[in-house]
Amino acid sequence: MYNSKYQIMLKTVKIILLCCWGFFAFAQSIGLSKQNENRALRMDGNDNEVRTGIGIINPQWTLEAWIKGDDENWKPLEAIIGGGEYSDLNIYDNLPLSIKNGYLYNKAANLQAPIKLNTQWQHVAISCDGKIITMYVEGKEVARADTAFAILPGTIGSHEKKETFGGSIDEVRIWSQGLSAKTIRQWMGKSITKNHPAFSSLIGYYNFDVFEDNMSVNWVGKGHQSYHLRNGRVNYYGNLPMAFTETSTNKKFQTFNGKQEIFNVVTIQNEWDLEQGTQNGQTLKLRIAVQGSTRPLVLEKLNLDLSACSNLKDIKKVHLYQAGYLPRTTIRKEIFGNGMTAKPTITFQSKTSDKKFYLQPGINYFLVTLDLADEAQINNILKGRVINFVVSGKTYSAEESEDYVPQQVAANPKWNKEVFKVLQWNIWHGGVHLGVKEGRSRVVELIRQANADIVTLQEGYGAQDTIATSLGYNLQTKSAKDNLALLSRHPIEKIPSSESFKSNPAKVLFPNGKKVLVNDCWLRYAYRPAYTCDYMQKGLDPKKWIAEDSILSLVDVQNLIKKDVVPYQENNETPTIIAGDFNSGSHLDWTKKAQLLHFGYGPVLLPTSRFMMEQGYKDSFREINPDELTYQGGTFAVIFGQLQTSRIDYIYYKGALKAIASKIVRTAPEIDDVWASDHAAVLSTFTFQ
């Protein structure tokens, strides 16, 4: 009897230890221990800039945060949540939660708390129910105003490169609903869970427990723009430390503990097209957010729907990988076999009971990849959908946004010498806004993934030599620190430039003996106002935009065509590409049909794009994507939620060429990673005629 009980007890202990060992061994193998610690964001009050990118929220909203100042020497104004760059407009409040001389403050409502903040951890909040704005400290109402307005919570701890907060910030929560005082008090001292009464209106949730690679995941982010935090500097070329995280000392707040629960699940689609013959091309990621650290959950099954693909014969195999806890990672642990044959529906499931795929506390990524056939048909749709999945015996579904551009099969230039790709991208101050090393590595990664034969680059500013060397491309630029940089996989024949800051002409010599005349350009922009971003303001006159373009971008492109293009064209059939940051919109976008995308403005007969059409040039993106509503193609500024519909980057062409594909590239090659620039890129594929 005693031996039997002892054996049962011993067996039970062994099972528990094995389970714990398996989970923690896996966790340690991919560095997951950091997600179990309550951490807070640390800001220096000087040079830190942490961007959410969240756009306009209207008409109801709530902002919450735990804060702890460095000392009692408060500055005249310190932002807890601000608008950031390109937010100084007249249709919303761009500094919704701040501290004025030590008092919680909102400028638009002229609302100020009566009691000065101390230097201990305190919970602060401001809420709008559509009629009244109420301010809270420690869950207690301290001020209110009979008004309501939209807000733009684009940054944490800074605003417009100033008003930087000095101290610690934690548990930032951004809602599209006005929360009651009772709800704020009930939840301010603990982690948000799916049981929160306003869970569906949570737009941004930042607990800062993982803050690596200059970014931190928004736990409720979805769609092509997930509003993950982008860590940078006000002085982006500087060397001061960026914001970082440290162990939280806030004893008033308790993180979620106990047995694991799923917080939410999101599917993120890949917008990047996959070339013919691609192996392990990313098609979608499943982001599973988990709370709790005991009784780890186990992924047991995943059901995938591929029925929306144009032709399943394009796909040779489908793979499922466990991909760690960060979007940008090299972790790839294939699970449930070594790939499966493409069918309308696929079930990934372990065939043996001893293989367990544990979920960790925090973020879990699972990646679906495709092996494409060499003969996959160009422009065919590649679309997968997670039907559901099973974790520890319970079936779950995933949220999915429809705001992405479908993935397609792309031509492989290696197999067709008549096909080539052109990438146009303004990399933003030399690609340093995520730090010099990290930012530029992302630029190189994107260009490599694009597999472009020609790259027209603006704002190179010291990055071009590094980029060209890393990729093994030929480079033409005025100097290593200049604006324009033309990169090519093939030899470059230099052409003198009439104005090197705006025009970078050359001929690219292809292996088939053909030449393409290319001009990598940057044009001046309208600034009274800059309609590329300020058009959201009320009461503007589009005739002024036309007038500004007529003396700026239009003059620049006329000059470069006259001096740097026409003299080097043998005839009208000379293959010619003019690509760059035109800093000017297109009349093909600003139509009456698209008024709602442009805050009621339109049609606007913008002159630069009209001139290009008159000169016989085709807008490759709009030619392939003629519907300006379905394919609005905003390229500025892709990292800011309020600026998504202004297309100012183009690849124009004429002569013996034909565009066969064109896409605005606005998401990183690694699904769910942050974007390195304020501009999207344009990627067009051509064939010689």
Side-chain angles (χ1 to χ4, degrees):
M1 185 75 171
Y2 172 81
N3 289 338
S4 176
K5 286 183 178 179
Y6 177 77
Q7 289 173 349
I8 293 173
M9 185 183 299
L10 185 61
K11 186 175 182 180
T12 302
V13 171
K14 284 183 177 179
I15 292 173
I16 293 173
L17 288 174
L18 282 171
C19 289
C20 292
W21 176 87
F23 173 67
F24 288 110
F26 169 69
Q28 290 177 355
S29 70
I30 54 176
L32 307 180
S33 59
K34 293 182 180 179
Q35 301 210 86
N36 296 320
E37 183 183 6
N38 183 22
R39 300 181 69 80
L41 182 69
R42 179 70 177 176
M43 303 197 70
D44 66 0
N46 178 31
D47 195 53
N48 296 154
E49 187 175 41
V50 179
R51 298 174 287 261
T52 70
I54 292 177
I56 303 166
I57 305 177
N58 187 44
Q60 297 190 38
W61 46 266
T62 301
L63 305 175
E64 297 182 77
W66 280 95
I67 64 171
K68 182 180 183 298
D70 279 336
D71 51 45
E72 295 182 355
N73 297 318
W74 298 98
K75 293 188 290 187
L77 196 62
E78 297 182 51
I80 302 304
I81 297 179
E85 291 185 84
Y86 309 113
S87 69
D88 189 16
L89 306 176
N90 62 13
I91 62 171
Y92 50 70
D93 177 18
N94 64 354
L95 193 58
L97 187 60
S98 61
I99 301 171
K100 183 179 181 181
N101 296 314
Y103 297 88
L104 202 61
Y105 177 67
N106 176 271
K107 181 179 179 181
N110 193 26
L111 201 61
Q112 181 171 308
I115 302 173
K116 196 171 186 178
L117 295 170
N118 58 40
T119 58
Q120 303 303 308
W121 279 103
Q122 292 178 277
H123 185 268
V124 297
I126 187 168
S127 179
C128 177
D129 64 3
K131 297 180 181 179
I132 298 173
I133 293 178
T134 310
M135 187 176 287
Y136 302 91
V137 176
E138 297 287 70
K140 298 178 181 179
E141 180 181 329
V142 294
R144 68 164 50 200
D146 292 329
T147 186
F149 41 74
I151 62 170
L152 195 149
T155 56
I156 296 174
S158 66
H159 172 66
E160 283 284 0
K161 299 184 178 181
K162 53 187 178 181
E163 282 96 36
T164 305
F165 174 77
S168 301
I169 301 178
D170 199 8
E171 283 291 313
V172 173
R173 304 164 182 181
I174 300 173
W175 310 82
S176 60
Q177 180 176 331
L179 301 186
S180 68
K182 179 181 177 181
T183 300
I184 291 174
R185 282 195 301 271
Q186 182 181 355
W187 286 89
M188 68 182 191
K190 58 185 178 181
S191 303
I192 296 295
T193 73
K194 60 185 177 183
N195 298 319
H196 192 287
F199 187 78
S200 62
S201 68
L202 187 58
I203 296 175
Y205 185 33
Y206 308 103
N207 61 21
F208 306 109
D209 292 343
V210 176
F211 200 84
E212 297 187 26
D213 291 338
N214 301 317
M215 65 88 68
S216 184
V217 170
N218 173 16
W219 274 47
V220 291
K222 60 183 177 181
H224 85 274
Q225 193 176 35
S226 293
Y227 305 131
H228 298 327
L229 292 183
R230 306 174 74 256
N231 194 15
R233 299 183 180 92
V234 171
N235 177 12
Y236 38 82
Y237 286 119
N239 296 312
L240 290 177
M242 291 193 289
F244 60 94
T245 63
E246 60 186 6
T247 301
S248 174
T249 59
N250 185 6
K251 296 182 179 179
K252 300 177 186 178
F253 182 83
Q254 296 296 319
T255 57
F256 184 96
N257 210 341
K259 66 178 183 179
Q260 282 193 351
E261 294 181 8
I262 289 182
F263 176 82
N264 75 341
V265 185
V266 176
T267 298
I268 309 107
Q269 299 284 347
N270 187 10
E271 295 187 333
W272 282 74
D273 294 342
L274 301 181
E275 289 185 351
Q276 299 160 311
T278 295
Q279 301 297 303
N280 266 323
Q282 299 189 29
T283 192
L284 65 84
K285 260 184 183 174
L286 192 66
R287 188 203 313 132
I288 305 177
V290 174
Q291 294 174 308
S293 56
T294 63
R295 295 180 63 182
L297 298 171
V298 179
L299 178 67
E300 298 170 346
K301 182 192 294 187
L302 185 144
N303 293 307
L304 184 69
D305 178 7
L306 294 176
S307 62
C309 293
S310 298
N311 187 349
L312 291 178
K313 291 182 180 179
D314 290 335
I315 305 170
K316 294 169 64 177
K317 268 192 172 184
V318 186
H319 304 269
L320 178 63
Y321 292 92
Q322 201 165 25
Y325 70 104
L326 293 172
R328 185 180 173 86
T329 177
T330 58
I331 294 170
R332 295 288 186 272
K333 181 179 181 181
E334 188 159 11
I335 60 177
F336 303 136
N338 296 308
M340 300 187 69
T341 302
K343 296 184 293 185
T345 58
I346 296 175
T347 297
F348 289 97
Q349 186 174 13
S350 178
K351 296 180 180 179
T352 58
S353 59
D354 61 334
K355 288 188 176 181
K356 296 185 181 295
F357 302 102
Y358 293 99
L359 300 184
Q360 59 166 3
I363 301 299
N364 299 259
Y365 283 107
F366 293 89
L367 175 66
V368 177
T369 71
L370 305 177
D371 295 343
L372 294 193
D374 295 350
E375 62 276 10
Q377 185 64 43
I378 296 172
N379 293 333
N380 272 358
I381 298 295
L382 301 169
K383 184 176 180 180
R385 180 179 67 88
V386 176
I387 302 171
N388 54 42
F389 60 97
V390 178
V391 170
S392 296
K394 186 175 180 180
T395 302
Y396 296 85
S397 58
E399 293 184 68
E400 184 171 359
S401 175
E402 293 297 326
D403 69 339
Y404 61 88
V405 180
Q407 187 178 49
Q408 296 176 278
V409 177
N412 192 328
K414 293 180 181 179
W415 300 340
N416 188 338
K417 300 303 180 184
E418 297 299 301
V419 171
F420 66 96
K421 294 183 179 183
V422 178
L423 180 75
Q424 153 55 31
W425 195 18
N426 181 321
I427 64 171
W428 199 19
H429 300 138
V432 300
H433 280 265
L434 294 171
V436 175
K437 183 178 179 180
E438 288 295 334
R440 289 179 177 173
S441 70
R442 280 169 165 82
V443 171
V444 170
E445 178 186 15
L446 185 144
I447 296 174
R448 180 179 287 115
Q449 181 69 26
N451 196 24
D453 297 88
I454 299 170
V455 182
T456 53
L457 212 66
Q458 297 79 45
E459 298 195 29
Y461 298 147
Q464 48 262 62
D465 284 342
T466 299
I467 295 169
T469 300
S470 298
L471 296 169
Y473 277 31
N474 298 295
L475 170 65
Q476 177 176 295
T477 186
K478 180 184 177 183
S479 72
K481 294 184 179 181
D482 216 75
N483 176 24
L484 300 178
L486 176 65
L487 295 95
S488 172
R489 190 192 309 277
H490 310 297
I492 294 174
E493 184 179 292
K494 185 176 178 60
I495 292 174
S497 173
S498 60
E499 194 171 357
S500 61
F501 191 84
K502 302 175 185 175
S503 175
N504 188 17
K507 288 186 178 180
V508 176
L509 314 179
F510 281 79
N512 59 7
K514 297 179 180 180
K515 295 182 180 181
V516 176
L517 176 58
V518 181
N519 194 296
D520 162 33
C521 67
W522 179 94
L523 311 180
R524 290 175 295 168
Y525 54 89
Y527 56 91
R528 293 177 292 205
Y531 73 88
T532 53
C533 57
D534 290 351
Y535 62 84
M536 291 178 294
Q537 303 200 64
K538 298 177 182 177
L540 301 179
D541 183 1
K543 292 180 181 178
K544 293 182 178 180
W545 308 343
I546 296 172
E548 284 278 293
D549 269 11
S550 296
I551 62 173
L552 295 169
S553 63
L554 177 59
V555 170
D556 289 345
V557 79
Q558 287 173 335
N559 286 336
L560 75 85
I561 287 178
K562 179 181 178 180
K563 299 176 181 178
D564 297 347
V565 175
V566 171
Y568 304 97
Q569 290 175 316
E570 296 177 4
N571 51 52
N572 287 336
E573 293 304 306
T574 299
T576 305
I577 289 173
I578 300 178
D581 176 3
F582 278 58
N583 280 311
S584 171
S586 172
H587 69 288
L588 300 176
D589 300 346
W590 290 76
T591 63
K592 183 176 181 179
K593 178 181 176 182
Q595 280 182 344
L596 291 177
L597 295 178
H598 302 116
F599 286 76
Y601 298 112
V604 184
L605 299 178
L606 295 161
T608 305
S609 59
R610 293 174 63 203
F611 172 77
M612 295 301 290
M613 300 290 107
E614 292 165 2
Q615 298 300 304
Y617 287 90
K618 297 178 181 179
D619 176 343
S620 60
F621 175 79
R622 190 53 73 209
E623 179 186 15
I624 299 298
N625 308 283
D627 188 338
E628 70 271 31
L629 288 183
T630 304
Y631 300 102
Q632 53 190 269
T635 62
F636 183 84
V638 70
I639 62 170
F640 302 104
Q642 73 273 23
L643 302 173
Q644 296 296 297
T645 60
S646 191
R647 189 168 67 102
I648 64 174
D649 297 82
Y650 306 91
I651 300 175
Y652 284 106
Y653 78 99
K654 69 183 299 187
L657 297 174
K658 180 177 177 57
I660 59 174
S662 185
K663 178 171 279 191
I664 302 299
V665 182
R666 58 185 184 172
T667 51
E670 184 65 52
I671 298 176
D672 214 28
D673 194 13
V674 292
W675 187 253
S677 174
D678 61 343
H679 282 247
V682 187
L683 180 62
S684 294
T685 305
F686 296 94
T687 181
F688 289 103
Q689 295 289 288

